[in-house]
Structures are given as structure tokens and as C-alpha cells.
């Protein structure tokens, strides 16, 4: 195909009369062609719109591609309120796209993060002409990774994202150049000082920086004021309303890793065709200038070559759509299944399902003196203590996150974190053989604090022969309690696939903060929307015969 046509700002009328606009890319000829749609709040004309699927390659392959600005963003009319209109607008857009000149009436959707969620939002409304979706790095339950995690605020993501969206939105709403300059200047300053100043402002749940934008809140704070609004972004619990197959793509160090996996699992449970691909990637890996590298680890170029089709992200998605939209014969890539990148081995592996049926949950127990062993403690009473000061929280150092670039994601050396007085470490002896961990990880702590509320954070690390400690997964739980009461705290660390090499050691960290990824618990029990006064907390972890704190790992038996 040597020619293509582009129509800019094509009007797309919604049922309530609001007009959205889309750019339509067409192959040469009369077709009929299947249609691919991405609905984005990030500007349909930006290079980012083609990062997850190359628009021009799709057109060359014989697809009409629609890039649409969501309601109230850039070229589209209406008031912008994230997630609020994406169900109805998604339905209307799909049915409009199916009737474009040259369309064969079959529509698919693609995109990542927010534009992954717009796919699920449309799919649950069951537009008749939607035939397949390919959501990447997106969430399922917004209270588990988008707005909140374990009851704490996903603060680092939401404040950074809100400031970014305000900066992009000002040119659309400013009435004169002076107003635009003033708005941009103030928010850009807050954004540029986010690590050393803006993140530290209180209250966390009603950020002064968000208030200074002068815009209606677009994320976390709206959810805190009106929890019912969280339902607009929720996929969890609605997979039974979805009728179409899904290609789900995740990263082990992505902020929405578990959400993408949960979407796949729920779709399979509903009897839908669903595929899952998980690589050693973070949220921004698609724009990486060092392919194969993440954090301080080089996983090799093979980590960015997907294990099917031509190995590219675009090729794998187009292969998926070729069957469901263009009528090509099915093959193994159109059946349900899983392709995971096994870190440590640095190899792709195909599995029929996830989680792996052959994995066995093995418990490692915290012991006095910082040991981590398979044997349960026998001490009558054994504790470890530390002091958590919200004015000096443990700094975010790697992980599955997307926040300000001052805090990069991925596996990062934890030695500076582990040297702190407010971080407990528990470590195994060197492994005598390789250990494969594959699945969802959970920890149980028996813990007490001297205040009405606090946070408990657990992180799993891989320690090599030189003592370098690299984070694998982590999680947290925010609690309300009575002073001094021993509580059982269950903590979800999400999922991984990794081989810990012989001679390495497993380590878990126990602490009470990971800032600014999660907001600081001020240890007062006050609402984060109003709380501004911190108090120091004295923390106690129990690891004895009666209170056996542990981490449970899904271990794959050696063949």
C-alpha cells in the first residue's frame, strides 16, 4: 500500500449533543477495512498516541485508525472530568466508527493506561460492533493501584498526574495570554519543585498545589470527596458484562501490574478469550532510550522482543486484530494463554494459565536477629522495634510505580534504604539452589503501634553475593488500631516471575513509609483531607511462637 489519507478533527456526535473530534487515518482504496480506535485525554496528535501501536503501520496493514480526544480535551468539546463520560462516549464512538465510509463494521480498541481503561469502559456497555480490545498497563480495581493501595493514597501518581493534566489543559480554558501565563507559571513551578517541596505539602488528601491550579480536581481528591465517583474508573466486578476477547499487556514493574493481571484472570473466569503478556517493564518502558534495561538491571534485548508474531508491540496487536476484525484464520495467538518473562533466567515462557497451578505457597518466617527461615519461631516472646517519624519518611526507591521522574521505577539498590534505623530487614541464608517465584505474594505481620493509626510496608528483595539488594515487589496496609494492641496485618505485595539464583539470599524489609509513592500516615487517625499535624509512632513487630510473622511465596518446584 503506497498511499493513505488523513482527515483531521472529524466531528463525532455524542448522544447528549456534545461533539468530540477525531483524526481518521485511512488506507488507500475503498475497503472494506476494519477499524481501530484509541480514545485519549493526552492529545490525539501527540507522538505518544502512536507509542503503543504504530498508526501508520496499522494503516499499511489495512486498518482504518481513529485517534480521538476524550470529552473536554484538546479538540473535543464538553467539560473534562476523567472517567465520568467514558462509558457512554466509548459506546457512541464505537458505533460511529463502525459506520465510517470504507468500514467493514468491525471495530477494535487499543491503548495503554488511561486509554486502556477507556477500552474496558466501552466494552462493559456492549457496543454491537466492538469485536476485540487490547488494553495495556491499566488498572482493574481503582482502590488497588490507581487512587489507593492498602488504604493509603497513591499520592505520588495522582499529584504528579494532576499537575501534568492541568498544564496541558490551561491553553484550552485560559481567556487571555496573561491569564495563561500566570496559570502555567504557577503550576510549572509546583511541578518543577515536586520532589523537594510540592509532595511535602499537607494535607495530602487536599493538596495545596492542586488547589492552586484553580481547576476542578481531576483524580484522587475527587474520589476522596465523592467515593461513588471511583466507580466510573472501576473494571473489577464488571467483566461479566464484557462480550469481547482481550489481549492484556503488563509490566512486572508497572504501577498497574496487578490490575492488568486481574483483568485477564477475571475475563478467563467469565469464559472469555483472553491473553496475557507480562514483560520486565515499567509504565514508561515504551519510550525507553535503553531497551532491555530497567532500573539497575539489563534484561537483554530479548526482553523487548515479544514472543509471537514479528516480536514488536504493534505486530503482536495487529496479529491479534487480524483474526477478530479482519477475518484471518485463527492460530495459537488467538487462544487464551499467557506469555511471561521470567526475570533472573531472562527468558520468555509460555503458560496455559495464570496463576500457575504447579506453584506451591511456601512460608518464610521472621526470626529474632534478622533471620528469615522456613522454620516457625520457637521463642516465647520475640520482637523488633523501630520509630517511624512522618517528617523523615523512607524515600521511594524503585518499584512498580509511575510518579515524578525524580523517583524512577524498577529494581534499584536498596542498601541505603536498609541502612536506616526505621527499616527492619530479615534475610535468608544463601540459597543452595535456584528458586523460582511465580505468582502473587502475601505477607502477614503481627504488629503494634502506640497510636490510633499507622502504615505497615513490606518489600521483597533479591540480595546477590556482593550484598546488592534489589527490590522485587512490595505492598502496604494502613490500619486503625488501639494503642499497643497486637494486630494481624495482611499485606498484598502483588505478583512477580523471577528466579533467585543459587548463592543469592531473599530479604524482606518491614517499615512504615514509602514516600512520596504513598502518602505519609501522620499516625493520628485523622482524615488525610484535613490532617496536617504529624506525630511520631513507636512500632513493634512480633515474631515468636504465638505471633509468627511471615511472607508467603509461590514457589515453582524444580523439574
Amino acid at each position: 500500500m503506497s498511499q493513505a489519507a488523513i482527515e483531521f478533527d472529524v466531528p463525532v456526535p455524542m448522544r447528549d449533543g456534545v461533539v468530540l473530534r477525531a483524526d481518521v487515518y485511512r488506507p488507500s482504496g475503498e475497503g472494506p477495512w476494519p477499524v481501530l480506535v484509541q480514545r485519549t485525554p493526552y492529545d490525539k496528535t501527540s507522538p505518544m498516541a502512536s507509542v503503543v501501536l504504530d498508526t501508520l503501520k496499522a494503516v499499511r496493514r489495512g486498518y482504518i485508525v481513529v485517534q480521538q480526544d476524550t470529552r473536554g480535551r484538546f479538540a473535543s468539546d464538553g467539560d473534562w472530568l476523567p472517567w465520568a463520560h467514558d462509558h457512554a462516549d466509548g459506546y457512541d464512538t464505537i458505533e460511529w466508527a463502525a459506520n465510517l465510509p470504507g468500514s467493514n463494521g468491525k471495530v477494535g480498541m487499543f491503548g495503554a493506561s488511561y486509554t486502556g481503561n477507556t477500552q474496558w469502559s466501552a466494552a462493559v456497555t456492549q457496543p454491537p460492533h466492538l469485536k476485540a480490545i487490547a488494553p495495556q498497563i491499566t488498572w482493574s480495581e481503582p482502590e488497588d493501584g490507581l487512587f489507593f493501595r492498602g488504604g493509603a493514597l497513591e499520592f505520588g501518581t495522582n499529584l504528579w498526574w494532576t499537575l501534568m493534566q492541568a498544564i496541558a489543559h490551561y491553553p484550552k480554558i485560559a481567556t487571555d495570554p496573561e491569564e495563561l501565563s500566570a496559570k502555567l507559571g504557577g503550576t510549572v513551578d509546583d511541578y518543577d519543585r515536586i520532589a523537594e517541596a510540592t509532595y511535602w505539602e499537607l494535607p495530602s488528601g487536599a493538596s495545596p498545589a492542586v488547589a492552586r491550579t484553580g481547576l476542578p480536581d481531576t483524580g484522587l481528591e475527587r474520589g476522596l470527596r465523592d467515593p461513588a465517583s471511583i466507580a466510573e474508573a472501576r473494571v473489577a466486578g464488571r467483566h461479566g458484562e464484557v462480550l469481547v476477547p482481550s489481549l492484556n499487556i503488563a509490566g512486572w514493574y508497572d504501577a498497574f501490574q496487578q490490575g492488568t493481571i486481574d483483568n485477564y484472570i477475571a475475563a478467563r473466569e467469565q469464559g472469555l478469550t483472553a491473553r496475557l503478556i507480562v514483560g520486565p517493564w515499567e509504565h514508561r518502558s515504551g519510550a525507553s532510550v535503553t531497551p532491555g534495561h530497567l532500573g539497575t538491571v539489563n534484561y537483554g534485548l530479548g526482553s523487548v522482543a515479544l514472543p509471537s508474531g514479528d516480536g514488536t508491540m504493534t505486530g503482536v496487536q495487529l496479529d491479534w486484530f487480524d483474526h477478530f476484525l479482519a477475518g484471518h484464520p485463527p492460530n495459537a495467538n488467538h487462544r487464551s494463554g499467557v506469555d511471561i518473562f521470567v526475570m533472573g533466567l531472562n527468558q520468555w515462557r509460555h503458560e496455559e494459565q495464570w496463576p500457575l497451578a504447579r506453584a506451591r505457597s511456601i512460608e518464610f518466617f521472621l526470626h529474632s536477629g534478622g533471620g528469615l527461615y522456613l522454620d516457625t519461631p520457637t521463642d516465647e516472646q520475640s520482637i523488633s522495634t523501630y520509630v517511624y517519624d512522618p517528617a523523615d519518611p523512607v524515600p521511594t526507591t524503585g518499584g512498580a510505580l509511575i510518579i515524578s521522574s525524580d523517583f524512577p521505577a524498577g529494581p534499584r539498590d536498596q542498601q541505603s534504604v536498609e541502612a536506616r534505623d526505621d527499616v527492619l530487614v530479615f534475610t535468608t541464608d544463601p540459597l543452595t539452589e535456584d528458586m523460582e517465584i511465580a505468582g502473587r505474594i502475601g505477607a502477614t505481620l503481627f504488629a503494634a503501634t502506640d497510636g490510633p493509626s499507622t502504615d505497615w510496608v513490606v518489600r521483597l528483595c533479591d540480595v546477590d553475593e556482593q550484598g546488592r539488594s534489589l527490590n522485587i515487589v512490595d505492598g502496604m496496609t494502613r490500619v486503625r488500631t488501639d494503642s499497643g494492641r497486637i494486630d494481624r496485618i495482611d499485606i498484598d505485595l502483588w505478583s512477580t516471575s523471577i528466579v533467585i539464583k543459587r548463592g543469592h539470599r531473599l530479604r524482606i524489609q518491614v517499615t512504615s513509609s514509602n514516600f512520596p509513592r504513598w502518602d505519609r500516615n501522620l499516625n493520628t487517625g485523622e482524615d488525610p483531607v484535613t490532617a496536617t499535624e504529624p506525630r511520631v509512632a513507636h512500632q513493634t513487630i512480633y515474631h515468636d511462637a504465638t505471633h509468627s510473622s511471615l511472607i508467603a511465596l509461590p514457589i515453582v518446584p524444580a523439574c
Side-chain angles (χ1 to χ4, degrees), residues 302-327:
S303 68
V304 295
L306 275 66
S308 59
D310 66 0
T312 68
M313 193 69 74
T314 292
V316 167
Q317 292 174 90
L318 292 180
D319 287 350
W320 172 256
F321 290 126
D322 277 349
H323 169 60
F324 295 108
L325 274 62

Side-chain angles (χ1 to χ4, degrees), residues 223-276:
L224 286 168
R225 290 195 306 271
D226 178 18
S229 68
I230 296 172
E232 297 164 356
R234 180 172 286 121
V235 183
R238 303 198 66 177
H239 296 88
E241 303 166 57
V242 176
L243 303 177
V244 298
S246 59
L247 170 63
N248 302 271
I249 300 174
W252 291 125
Y253 287 94
D254 176 52
F256 307 129
Q257 173 237 93
Q258 192 61 52
T260 304
I261 295 172
D262 288 347
N263 284 333
Y264 158 79
I265 292 172
R268 289 290 304 270
E269 289 173 346
Q270 294 297 323
L272 297 169
T273 299
R275 290 188 59 77
L276 175 66

Side-chain angles (χ1 to χ4, degrees), residues 365-368 375-379 382 543-549:
F365 295 90
L366 282 60
H367 282 251
S368 59
D375 298 329
T376 56
T378 58
D379 313 65
S382 179
H543 36 69
D544 53 44
T546 305
H547 308 100
S548 300
S549 296

Side-chain angles (χ1 to χ4, degrees), residues 28-188:
S28 60
E30 297 182 1
W33 312 107
V35 184
L36 296 177
V37 173
Q38 178 172 221
R39 305 191 61 250
T40 178
Y42 302 128
D43 188 357
K44 60 184 171 58
T45 66
S46 75
M48 189 166 130
S50 288
V51 166
V52 296
L53 188 149
D54 189 307
T55 297
L56 297 183
K57 287 184 179 179
V59 172
R60 185 181 289 273
R61 186 95 154 229
Y63 287 88
I64 297 171
V65 178
V66 174
Q67 297 277 10
Q68 182 193 59
D69 288 328
T70 54
R71 182 179 291 235
R73 294 293 274 174
F74 299 94
S76 289
D77 296 341
D79 295 325
W80 180 52
L81 197 60
W83 307 288
H85 304 283
D86 287 331
H87 292 84
D89 288 357
Y91 182 104
D92 293 351
T93 298
I94 294 304
E95 294 306 290
W96 168 86
N99 289 285
L100 284 169
S103 166
N104 72 353
K106 295 183 178 182
V107 182
M109 297 184 76
F110 67 97
S113 194
Y114 190 109
T115 68
N117 184 257
T118 60
Q119 297 176 61
W120 288 111
S121 295
V124 300
T125 68
Q126 301 179 9
H129 294 92
L130 182 65
K131 302 303 179 183
I133 59 176
Q136 299 184 32
I137 54 174
T138 195
W139 58 88
S140 184
E141 171 52 67
E143 295 190 69
D144 186 28
L146 176 61
F147 297 129
F148 307 100
R149 177 79 182 271
L153 312 184
E154 281 286 359
F155 182 63
T157 298
N158 281 273
L159 179 54
W160 166 82
W161 187 84
T162 299
L163 295 180
M164 285 281 290
Q165 303 323 305
I167 290 168
H169 200 59
Y170 287 146
K172 187 176 179 69
I173 62 171
T175 57
D176 62 68
E178 288 188 4
E179 178 190 18
L180 175 60
S181 178
K183 287 181 176 293
L184 282 175
T187 303
V188 166

Side-chain angles (χ1 to χ4, degrees), residues 173-470:
I173 62 171
T175 57
D176 62 68
E178 288 188 4
E179 178 190 18
L180 175 60
S181 178
K183 287 181 176 293
L184 282 175
T187 303
V188 166
D189 184 59
D190 282 335
Y191 183 87
D192 287 344
R193 300 171 60 247
I194 194 168
E196 67 268 21
T198 312
Y199 273 139
W200 293 86
E201 293 182 297
L202 293 170
S204 298
S207 166
V210 173
R212 287 192 290 272
T213 68
L215 297 173
D217 179 64
T218 56
L220 170 64
E221 294 178 36
R222 177 171 160 242
L224 286 168
R225 290 195 306 271
D226 178 18
S229 68
I230 296 172
E232 297 164 356
R234 180 172 286 121
V235 183
R238 303 198 66 177
H239 296 88
E241 303 166 57
V242 176
L243 303 177
V244 298
S246 59
L247 170 63
N248 302 271
I249 300 174
W252 291 125
Y253 287 94
D254 176 52
F256 307 129
Q257 173 237 93
Q258 192 61 52
T260 304
I261 295 172
D262 288 347
N263 284 333
Y264 158 79
I265 292 172
R268 289 290 304 270
E269 289 173 346
Q270 294 297 323
L272 297 169
T273 299
R275 290 188 59 77
L276 175 66
I277 299 173
V278 193
W281 311 316
E282 54 114 347
H283 206 76
R284 299 183 180 96
S285 285
S288 174
V289 296
T290 54
H293 289 74
L294 179 60
T296 58
V297 177
N298 180 6
Y299 294 104
L301 285 175
S303 68
V304 295
L306 275 66
S308 59
D310 66 0
T312 68
M313 193 69 74
T314 292
V316 167
Q317 292 174 90
L318 292 180
D319 287 350
W320 172 256
F321 290 126
D322 277 349
H323 169 60
F324 295 108
L325 274 62
H328 292 201
N331 57 42
N333 296 322
H334 303 110
R335 296 194 295 268
S336 295
V338 178
D339 290 298
I340 55 173
F341 189 89
V342 183
M343 298 178 291
L345 291 182
N346 293 349
Q347 296 175 358
W348 286 98
R349 178 188 295 164
H350 179 74
E351 300 284 353
E352 293 301 316
Q353 61 182 1
W354 185 272
L356 305 182
R358 64 184 184 279
R360 297 291 180 263
S361 180
I362 305 297
E363 295 176 339
F364 288 79
F365 295 90
L366 282 60
H367 282 251
S368 59
L372 185 65
Y373 304 122
L374 292 170
D375 298 329
T376 56
T378 58
D379 313 65
E380 290 188 7
Q381 185 175 25
S382 179
I383 63 173
S384 297
T385 63
Y386 63 94
V387 175
Y388 160 50
D389 182 357
D392 182 25
V394 177
T396 297
T397 307
L401 52 87
I402 174 173
I403 63 177
S404 161
S405 57
D406 300 278
F407 305 92
R412 302 265 164 188
D413 193 345
Q414 300 291 304
Q415 291 181 89
S416 63
V417 170
E418 293 166 356
R420 292 175 58 105
D421 292 337
D422 56 354
V423 178
L424 303 178
V425 295
F426 299 85
T427 311
T428 66
D429 294 330
L431 301 182
T432 58
E433 58 183 18
D434 290 356
M435 175 187 293
E436 181 175 349
I437 305 171
R440 198 160 187 166
I441 296 169
T444 297
L445 299 180
F446 289 91
T449 184
D450 64 352
S453 176
T454 199
D455 290 351
W456 301 107
V457 175
V458 174
R459 181 172 297 107
L460 175 67
C461 301
D462 173 11
V463 185
D464 66 18
E465 295 90 341
Q466 288 72 47
R468 186 178 68 155
S469 177
L470 295 180

